[in-house]
Amino acid sequence: MSKFIDRVVLHVRAGKGGHGCASVHREKYKPLGGPDGGNGGNGGDVILEVDPNVHTLLDFHFHPHARAGSGKSGEGSNRNGKQGEELLLKVPDGTVVTTADGDVLADLVGVGTRFVAALGGRGGLGNAALVSKARKAPGFALLGEEGEERDLVLELKSVADVGLVGFPSAGKSSLVSVLSAAKPKIADYPFTTLVPNLGVVQSGDTTFTVADVPGLIPGASEGRGLGLDFLRHLERCAVLAHVVDCATGEPGRDPISDVDALEAELAAYQPALQGDAGLGDLADRPRVVVLNKIDIPDAHELADLVAAEFAERGWPVFEISTVSREGLRPLTFALGQLVGEYREAHPKAAPTRPVIRPVVKGDSGFRVIPDPEVPGGFIVSGERPERWVNQTHFDNDEAVGYLADRLARLGVEAELVRQGAEPGAPVTIGDVCFDWEPQISAGAEVMLTRRGVDPRLDRNERVGAAERKHASRVRRGLVPEDEDR
């Protein structure tokens, strides 16, 4: 038996960007071929898309981890790396995407609606793309960025026009079965319905959907019973119909008290989407009272007694029997009319267009604050500095010098000086901590030297050919270790 899953936690991870390539063109009779390293490919995105053939979040319940393809690294001869494949995840109509803290990220309503759940990492630039007047033949390339990784909560809110509410065994599932072609499970014991049932109803020229929400009980809005898990399916309903069991034999229950108890729960429930689809709170939705099981004589008499009191509240009242199908036709046309009035008052919204918010001109894009844990240290935060640090290969002196130039042009060095940073002060950017050395003269014109070396940096850990040859002879016992090279 298939399971109905309407809430899952999805762990998504976009693809990683490929590394750039540091290569020099080599060809006979062309000793100065120049840099020809290609760029790395971008990582693939993780995208959620509404599919009309998907009706539950069951697939994500069994496979909660989703990962897109990573980009390939660049190669020589100016060959760029292949782009990572995006991962397209199909979700049902009415899926709401939130963070673990409950912040709404997307409301996916309408076939084809998309949401980028995780952005793929950018591919690193090859040395051919890093050529400048200062660096004619860069001996380094940029690293690819990690893809975005997020934990998302997916909640399914049924997209129905009419929501049926009522106590367990009030006849909601039976009403759906006689109004539409749906065949829900029906029995005479409490909580027969464990999942919402949807049916399509034809009323004249109006076609609408009706949802049977599992039985509510007092305290449902606080988590008691099944109500809290399924009240979310009422948030998109334009009309709420109270289905009342007029033949109940439980002591202390009557149609008036049943409706009042459920009205209190609807008023106490706070929708996750405030003002969802412009409908407002559940307490403000149009109401219809359906007095069910009038095929039983005592129930028919009770329905006649309470109908006038519901009518005084301004609610249309219908006395029906799902067994004999008495009163169903007037109810169907009334629901169709209410749904039609709602659709006229709320035209279908235009497709959502992407909103581009450019960065304010003059924004430095970074922030420098004193490190609260390291005396005399500073923390540099910002999208660009942190991204540049992640792109840097710190084993390459020339790449480190290029990073220093970028930070200087951004104004990080000037800001550190303004805040009183001393030479050697520990500066943290992202996950990297280094000693600040202003004497590097970041941003100055780079002197021509061999590839992979920046003369502004004191350290040079590269082992030369003569040193490697001497070490090899020492290992073979040909010369003593202390012999001059």
Side-chain angles (χ1 to χ4, degrees):
M1 177 180 173
S2 61
K3 299 175 64 177
F4 180 85
I5 302 296
D6 62 350
R7 187 181 188 278
V8 296
V9 177
L10 181 63
H11 311 278
V12 295
R13 184 174 183 178
K16 179 182 179 181
H19 300 324
C21 176
S23 172
V24 174
H25 181 71
R26 300 182 184 276
E27 187 176 347
K28 192 174 183 180
Y29 307 121
K30 291 184 179 180
L32 301 177
D36 66 347
N39 303 330
N42 295 330
D45 300 332
V46 180
I47 300 176
L48 304 179
E49 183 181 54
V50 175
D51 190 322
N53 298 319
V54 179
H55 305 286
T56 178
L57 301 174
L58 182 64
D59 289 345
F60 306 120
H61 176 72
F62 292 108
H63 303 91
H65 297 274
R67 183 170 184 174
S70 297
K72 302 298 182 181
S73 299
E75 299 178 0
S77 300
N78 293 305
R79 290 175 293 180
N80 294 333
K82 183 180 178 181
Q83 306 287 334
E85 294 185 5
E86 70 177 22
L87 179 61
L88 188 62
L89 304 176
K90 303 292 187 178
V91 297
D93 193 7
T95 300
V96 178
V97 185
T98 65
T99 63
D101 297 330
D103 298 329
V104 178
L105 300 177
D107 185 10
L108 304 179
V109 178
V111 176
T113 303
R114 283 189 164 201
F115 170 67
V116 179
L119 285 171
R122 301 181 187 180
L125 296 179
N127 64 342
L130 299 174
V131 173
S132 64
K133 293 181 180 180
R135 291 181 175 86
K136 302 295 184 180
F140 68 98
L142 300 185
L143 303 179
E145 300 179 31
E146 293 289 339
E148 191 175 9
E149 187 174 2
R150 311 170 74 177
D151 291 339
L152 303 175
V153 178
L154 306 186
E155 289 189 355
L156 175 59
K157 301 178 187 291
S158 301
V159 182
D161 299 304
V162 178
L164 304 182
V165 296
F167 274 71
S169 297
K172 301 183 297 298
S173 299
S174 300
L175 183 56
V176 172
S177 67
V178 296
L179 290 179
S180 66
K183 300 300 179 185
K185 181 181 178 181
I186 300 171
D188 59 352
Y189 50 87
F191 293 115
T192 302
T193 303
L194 299 179
V195 301
N197 298 306
L198 268 69
V200 180
V201 183
Q202 182 71 36
S203 175
D205 297 333
T206 304
T207 301
F208 60 93
T209 55
V210 57
D212 161 26
V213 178
L216 305 183
I217 59 175
S221 61
E222 299 176 358
R224 186 181 179 191
L226 301 177
L228 184 61
D229 292 334
F230 297 108
L231 271 170
R232 69 171 70 97
H233 293 279
L234 295 175
E235 293 186 22
R236 302 188 193 276
C237 296
V239 180
L240 299 182
H242 282 288
V243 181
V244 182
D245 181 4
C246 292
T248 180
E250 296 183 21
R253 282 187 55 188
D254 61 82
I256 301 297
S257 61
D258 284 359
V259 172
D260 289 342
L262 296 181
E263 280 294 318
E265 296 306 315
L266 295 176
Y269 176 69
Q270 296 295 327
L273 298 178
Q274 295 296 333
D276 184 19
L279 295 174
D281 293 335
L282 296 180
D284 301 328
R285 310 290 170 86
R287 298 290 198 275
V288 172
V289 177
V290 181
L291 304 176
N292 191 19
K293 303 183 181 181
I294 63 171
D295 54 292
I296 301 175
D298 292 341
H300 197 296
E301 295 179 3
L302 181 59
D304 291 338
L305 292 175
V306 300
E309 183 167 347
F310 288 124
E312 291 179 358
R313 303 184 184 184
W315 297 343
V317 181
F318 298 91
E319 301 180 16
I320 69 162
S321 170
T322 56
V323 175
S324 64
R325 305 204 172 193
E326 180 181 353
L328 293 181
R329 187 174 179 85
L331 173 62
T332 302
F333 283 107
L335 294 177
Q337 181 180 358
L338 290 173
V339 171
E341 293 175 354
Y342 161 75
R343 292 175 178 174
E344 291 180 0
H346 302 80
K348 190 174 181 180
T352 304
R353 297 182 179 181
V355 178
I356 300 176
R357 297 180 175 87
V359 179
V360 179
K361 186 176 181 180
D363 183 11
S364 61
F366 72 94
R367 188 165 64 104
V368 178
I369 60 173
D371 194 331
E373 299 181 357
V374 180
F378 293 87
I379 297 176
V380 179
S381 60
E383 179 183 355
R384 282 186 286 181
E386 293 176 9
R387 185 175 76 244
W388 294 345
V389 166
N390 293 331
Q391 292 175 336
T392 301
H393 185 206
F394 284 94
D395 292 337
N396 187 302
D397 290 347
E398 193 176 356
V400 176
Y402 179 71
L403 171 64
D405 293 341
R406 301 176 87 178
L407 294 175
R409 286 193 294 268
L410 186 62
V412 173
E413 183 170 345
E415 181 63 20
L416 288 171
V417 173
R418 191 188 68 83
Q419 295 196 21
E422 299 292 338
V427 176
T428 302
I429 304 179
D431 296 331
V432 178
C433 183
F434 55 91
D435 296 333
W436 180 57
E437 298 293 343
Q439 64 268 24
I440 287 180
S441 302
E445 184 175 354
V446 181
M447 298 173 56
L448 296 178
T449 182
R450 66 180 186 272
R451 296 173 61 242
V453 176
D454 192 315
R456 297 172 297 175
L457 301 179
D458 294 333
R459 64 182 179 86
N460 185 2
E461 300 175 356
R462 288 198 169 200
V463 180
E467 295 179 355
R468 293 197 299 271
K469 183 177 180 180
H470 176 71
S472 175
R473 298 184 67 187
V474 170
R475 288 195 300 271
R476 289 182 292 172
L478 300 180
V479 296
E481 185 175 357
D482 57 352
E483 181 179 319
D484 296 336
R485 297 174 177 81

